Amino acid sequence: MTDFLRGILDWFYNLTSNYGVAVICFTLFIRLILTPFEYKSRKGMRKMSALAPKQAELQKKYFRV
């Protein structure tokens, strides 16, 4: 896995001839790939937070401590 990612970083370095710019491009590339997963995760978290009051109500009703 690291060889694969290193290959991508080297490819960006070959394009830019500057490791600083290559790292920035690599970071943007990885963020672009992960964006759909992050979106789906945030969407699920919003749904769970919308259900939190109902969940708390049910816990209070059935699991009295």
Side-chain angles (χ1 to χ4, degrees):
M1 183 66 153
T2 57
D3 291 335
F4 175 71
L5 295 175
R6 176 63 189 245
I8 295 172
L9 181 60
D10 287 340
W11 183 78
F12 281 120
Y13 175 73
N14 289 334
L15 282 175
T16 62
S17 300
N18 183 336
Y19 269 115
V21 176
V23 168
I24 292 170
C25 291
F26 178 76
T27 303
L28 292 174
F29 175 73
I30 295 298
R31 300 259 323 178
L32 183 67
I33 290 173
L34 294 178
T35 298
F37 302 110
E38 182 181 352
Y39 174 76
K40 189 170 184 176
S41 173
R42 287 179 187 261
K43 189 175 177 183
M45 287 171 49
R46 276 191 222 112
K47 285 182 182 179
M48 289 299 291
S49 66
L51 292 175
K54 183 69 172 176
Q55 181 183 8
E57 180 183 319
L58 289 172
Q59 283 179 343
K60 186 176 181 182
K61 182 177 180 180
Y62 293 108
F63 300 107
R64 295 180 191 203
V65 178

